[in-house]
Amino acid sequence: MARKMAARAGTGRRKKIPDEEHMSDETSIIQVEIEKPVFGGLFLGRHLGKAVFVPHAVPGETVTVRILSEKKDYCTGEIDSITSASGDRIMPACPLYARCGGCSYLHVPYEKELEFKMSVLMDSLSRIAGMDSDGPPRPDVLHDHRFHYRSHAAIKVRCGKSGFFRKGTNDIVPIAGTGCFLLDDAINDRVRSDDAPPGDYRAAVDCSGSVVTSFDRNPTLREREAGLVFNRGIDQFYQANRLLRGALMERVVTLARCGENATFLDIGCGVGFFTLPLARVSKKGHGIDINAGSIRYAVMNAAENGIPNVKFETRRSSQIHPGRVNPEVIVMDPPRAGIDRHTRKTILAMGPRVIVYVSCNPSTFARDVKDFVAGGYKMETLTLADMFPCTQHFEVISRLTL
């Protein structure tokens, strides 16, 4: 499909701009020197002034690129051959790396992957948040083992084969016989077993090592972190990195610095992952989430853990009324879209002394932080938490204060 799009890009009656004369269908292979990693697991090079984005490259390499899609200001492609390889390039551990769409950085050592992600984060803060002159604080990194960290995943099944989508398509790439390098071993064993579910399903391993799937009669999981129990349905959001989520929780609670007389609001609270440990050290807390199922489990989890000083409700963040809520600390962990503009204005109107922002998207994080800084907040700390090794994704944690 991508090649058809590229073919169509060179036809029609539109007038070509000068750069495109050198990227027609007849000359769709170009040579590019890779400059740096960019958002989305891609790498940036330039050809005759036009940006070229490709996956699976390494800065400093010279590669020939097959153009797949072309726009006025940039084009995307795939590496056809490597003219000059970087010394940082390694053989990917997974034999399906070039086909499966799950991973972005298996062609380099883990230390280099972390460098790439840090570069993407700082570039986002510079370009989007304009944090050049004052600059963000020096970031630190939270990470653990690179492989077998995922405690849950969505598995696709076609014709009896289990796997994941090929990047940018609905085609299934079956999981290799060695299993997926990202999945917990127990999930890999279940995927390869004879009693694997017959259709698309979610699979997760709980704190006891038992695997639950969405085909089970009662797909509920029981998790433990920091002495707390978290019950959840298999469809409810929960941090997937079983090796690092405890450290993530500890970091958020530490940055919030909620004293025994403090009040807090947890936006996007889920099943209470941050809310409950915060409530243990605070006067009282309030958690909101758009997912009613998550809120039901959050209420259940508060009761089971004996935490009475917290209230949960199903509510959009845009429905928060600044005159009725007056928290000293706001913690938020939104989806990739980040915090909407109305909510950002509401938070500024409430004026909490501390904001702890947990983000899974550096672009929307930078956009939102720009508004908070313009509203008088200062970014005190910045952490890159690599919750998704091998992939393009990572989390950002920041403490902002008035």
Side-chain angles (χ1 to χ4, degrees), residues 4 16 59 151 154 166 198 208 213 223 341 349-350 356 363 381:
K4 291 181 181 178
K16 289 184 178 181
S151 66
R166 188 190 305 271
S208 70
T213 78
E223 310 280 9
R341 181 177 297 179
M350 289 189 289
V356 179
S363 295
T381 68

Side-chain angles (χ1 to χ4, degrees), residues 265-322:
L265 171 64
D266 185 0
I267 299 175
C269 66
V271 299
F273 184 76
F274 295 129
T275 332
L276 298 187
L278 285 167
R280 288 195 301 189
V281 295
S282 307
K283 180 180 179 180
K284 63 178 180 180
H286 188 178
I288 65 169
D289 199 285
I290 192 175
N291 188 294
S294 292
I295 292 298
R296 285 194 295 271
Y297 278 105
V299 172
M300 178 193 308
N301 293 334
E304 179 167 348
N305 287 283
I307 299 177
N309 60 328
V310 64
K311 174 185 177 182
F312 292 100
E313 64 176 325
T314 305
R315 183 179 293 274
R316 294 179 181 274
S317 61
S318 59
Q319 296 173 330
I320 299 171
H321 194 296

